[in-house]
Amino acid sequence: MDNKKILVVEDDQNTRNLYQRVLESAGFKVDVATDGAEGLTKCREGGYDLVLLDIMLPKMDGIVLLGELKKSPPKVPNKNIYMLTNLAHDPILKEAITLGAKDVLLKTDVNPEELVNKVKEILSVG
Amino acid sequence: MDIKILGILSGLFLFFLGFIVWYQNRKNPANISLSVFAASSALWCFCLYFYENPVLYTPRVWITLAYFFVFLMVGSTLYFSSVFPNGSTKEATIPVVLYTIFSLPFIYFLFFTNYWIKDVVIVNAARSTITGPVYLYWGIFNLLSGIFIINNFIKRYKASSLLSRLQLRYVFVGIGIMAVSTLAVDVIVPVIFGNSSYFWVSSLFIIPFIGLSTYAIIKHRLFDIRLIIARSVSYSLLLVILGVIYSSGLFVISSLITKTPTPASSLISSTVLALVIAFTFQPLRGLLEKTTDKVFFKEGYDTESVLNTLSKTMATSLTLNDLTTRVLSIITSELRLADAAFVTMDGKNIQIVESRIRNKKLEMTAGDIEKMKVTKKLLVLDEMEESGLKKLMRDKEIFISMPLSTKEHFIGFLLLGEKSSGEIFFDQDINFLSILGPELSVALENAQRFEEISKFNITLQEEVKRATRELESANLKLKKLDQVKDEFISIASHDLRSPMATVKNYIWLARSELGKTPAKAKEDLDIALESTEHGISLVADMLDVSRIEAGRIELTPEKLDIGHEITLVVEELQKQAGDKKINLGSETSEEINVKADKERLHQVITNLAGNAIKFTPDGGRVTITAVKAGNMVEITVSDTGIGIKKEDIDKLFTKFGKLENSTNLPTTAGTGLGLYICKNIIELSGGKIRVESTLGKGSKFIFTLPSL
């Protein structure tokens, strides 16, 4: 389980800290990015088992990030990209799926335990 | 003058007959062959006549030509007998080709040797031709051809329908009589009795042929030309009668007066000339009359028929322009006027339509019209006494002015120029105009009303189109608005969800840590509390935006000491600034009063100062100052923060301001509504807001308020 790498792209400090805390205590290796630009740089390095990507981000939003990533994909691909957001605007969510996200998770829908379970399910461990 | 002239007349009639047969159906071989027969017979007659009364050429030449035409006569009969009545040329080709081949040596002998015609001499005061040995053979050749033709005719006769049989019978008998008698007179008599002085008689034998075929044409619809013949008969009779009267008259007169007989040639040519004159008289007269009528006066129109024409025209013209133009054209041509014009009034609008464009355009002022309107009668220039009105009409070259009005309305005038002939206007003209007047007035009024309705119709259509366009654009705006609203709701719900998610997560964490690590649980609850505050202020901001958009935000301006208001905010934000070790202070040297809503002013300063603290790195400085600038007060919130890019400054004050590298979404934490609300509050208070920023050094938010 130690070798599963997760990237959390989240600008809100409290939220970011929380996700990092619960995922790390579940045994995952967690990397974070605080804005879209940093998120893109890390995604381009590739090799993450899961990227949890917010949409409303400073410097570059999550949708643009997906587009850029699609234009020049990393050598070692990221296995899963999930949107983790509070935005429920259908056209934008559809666009995210078209650009390569596997699914969309609403932040208000999952508490930390549920999130960990969902992540485990995605990564088929535990 | 003798009976020989009958040959000529028969020839002319044959020509005529042949022409009509050919003209009736120019492609049918039967028609063609019969008309060739008729034409060659006619020419044969002429040649025989000129043989007896030679003109231009010697009798020998004429008799040679006569023989030549016999070839054509026999040949065309041969052809005719093979194609009548079906018109199929299939069976005609071989006989005609054979006939032509056998004819060629005879024609050679005829034209170039003495073996046919040895000489032409006068014997016992009669012209006779001495024939050579070939002549007999030619007679036999013709006899054989004749037998072939008769055989042909009989075959066809048997195979024909009843009507064709009747037609054929007459034609056949006619040609038969002609052939037999000609053979007798021209071949048998000269060859057997050596007397060739009766050649001319043969030309008379075409008369039975003419009679019989004419009978077939009239009675049995031969070639379907009965109608043409019937129409032509009177003309031909006239021709013949005129010719006979003229030539015999000339003959008698010249015999009586000059005592010398007129030579036949001059008799004929003068008769022909007389006929030409007679038959060109009528059309020539018409043509000349037309021409002279244009130049000279002629009282040449029928009042009733012109009125009739005009009535029809008026009934079929809908538009004013069409009506006036057509009526003018009829009146000017019938009354032979140099020009005419309509002056019509529609309200104050004067419209002039002229029959033709003159060097000087007719111009009428409202004053001129008033002057002419006075009498309400038809005015004839020549009959008027000297007056201003007469002078006016003379200047405008108006010879007749007819006012046009219905019971209710005055419509205008019909103005006539002078007659092309220079003649005066007659009673007929005046009568004509007085009858025309009322009807014309009604027609003009109708046309005016029609145009009004048409115009109204067009205006209405345009009005509808414009309204439709407005509705369409309103609809488009609404659709856009709907889209904006949709987006707003999406973003608003996102922004409200964010603090709630944080609250939810941290309370969940706190609960799980409560027993084990109470200090950590307290930290989590603090975060949850902070997020709750954030959520509350967000709802307040959204309500503000909604109020602003609906125009329902209410300000109660009062006199405020700006220094005091700034100090209040500084005190409130001191803790927040202290957390980031930011030096927050204010600089106001004197007491400055502004006119503003107390709560809203507080909200604006708090927002701007709060933003400044948020975007300034730890240990920085945020300063709030206020100075008087004319009748305004300038309040500045400056920081030593990260600064804002030039291109982003304009977007700052928009709702959910979009910054670089974002599709359609706000990217800063916070509501993205604060600056939008500030700007609106400031503007509603009578001030303005602007930003000065240097990237990396800091920003200045400067706003103004009216001073007091």
Side-chain angles (χ1 to χ4, degrees), chain B residues 195-431:
Chain B
N195 187 346
S196 60
S197 59
Y198 295 102
F199 277 5
W200 62 271
V201 180
S202 58
S203 67
L204 300 182
F205 292 122
I206 64 169
I207 292 168
F209 168 71
I210 292 169
L212 285 164
S213 34
T214 307
Y215 183 79
I217 286 166
I218 293 165
K219 192 83 184 169
H220 302 299
R221 303 207 308 276
L222 176 66
F223 292 121
D224 233 0
I225 53 175
R226 192 164 80 158
L227 191 68
I228 304 171
I229 296 290
R231 278 191 190 156
S232 313
V233 161
S234 63
Y235 206 76
S236 314
L237 281 177
L238 190 67
L239 193 89
V240 171
I241 291 165
L242 270 179
V244 168
I245 291 173
Y246 181 85
S247 52
S248 41
L250 195 69
F251 178 75
V252 170
I253 290 166
S254 65
S255 310
L256 286 179
I257 295 172
T258 61
K259 308 283 182 195
T260 49
T262 316
S265 59
S266 75
L267 194 64
I268 290 165
S269 54
S270 60
T271 304
V272 169
L273 207 60
L275 288 175
V276 168
I277 290 166
F279 286 96
T280 50
F281 180 75
Q282 196 57 33
L284 207 59
R285 181 171 153 242
L287 184 75
L288 288 176
E289 268 180 9
K290 244 187 190 173
T291 317
T292 48
D293 281 0
K294 280 183 188 163
V295 185
F296 303 105
F297 161 75
K298 184 166 176 290
E299 190 192 341
Y301 69 94
D302 174 35
T303 305
E304 205 175 322
S305 84
V306 177
L307 283 172
N308 236 333
T309 315
L310 282 169
S311 285
K312 275 182 200 154
T313 307
M314 288 187 271
T316 52
S317 308
L318 263 182
T319 64
L320 194 62
N321 195 40
D322 186 30
L323 174 72
T324 47
T325 317
R326 286 170 72 184
V327 167
L328 283 180
S329 133
I330 294 169
I331 290 179
T332 46
S333 76
E334 291 294 343
L335 270 65
R336 294 175 176 81
L337 301 173
D339 52 19
F342 271 111
V343 177
T344 50
M345 300 272 293
D346 203 354
K348 284 193 172 172
N349 198 4
I350 301 168
Q351 206 182 343
I352 299 176
V353 179
E354 290 181 81
S355 63
R356 66 181 176 86
I357 293 145
R358 300 193 285 191
N359 292 337
K360 209 172 78 187
K361 228 182 148 211
L362 179 65
E363 278 172 0
M364 299 282 285
T365 62
D368 297 338
I369 290 174
E370 280 307 313
K371 263 190 212 167
M372 284 172 51
K373 229 167 109 175
V374 174
T375 58
K376 290 186 178 170
K377 275 187 208 158
L378 191 138
L379 298 172
V380 182
L381 185 71
D382 293 328
E383 296 168 9
M384 289 163 71
E385 285 175 17
E386 279 308 322
S387 65
L389 185 57
K390 181 161 184 168
K391 189 178 174 303
L392 173 75
M393 284 175 62
R394 197 183 289 124
D395 286 349
K396 309 261 182 215
E397 293 173 27
I398 300 165
F399 283 70
I400 281 190
S401 156
M402 180 165 76
L404 299 164
S405 58
T406 59
K407 268 181 198 168
E408 293 91 16
H409 299 108
F410 169 75
I411 291 159
F413 299 98
L414 170 62
L415 304 177
L416 305 187
E418 66 177 332
K419 290 196 169 182
S420 303
S421 56
E423 287 280 344
I424 56 159
F425 283 88
F426 292 96
D427 278 352
Q428 191 198 2
D429 304 321
I430 310 297
N431 283 337

Side-chain angles (χ1 to χ4, degrees), chain A residues 14 21 57 59 61 89 108, chain B residues 490 504 506 513 661 663 667:
Chain A
N14 292 329
R21 213 164 109 192
L57 288 166
K59 295 193 183 167
D61 71 43
H89 191 49
T108 42
Chain B
S490 292
K504 182 180 175 179
Y506 275 91
E513 283 162 346
N661 262 336
T663 42
T667 49

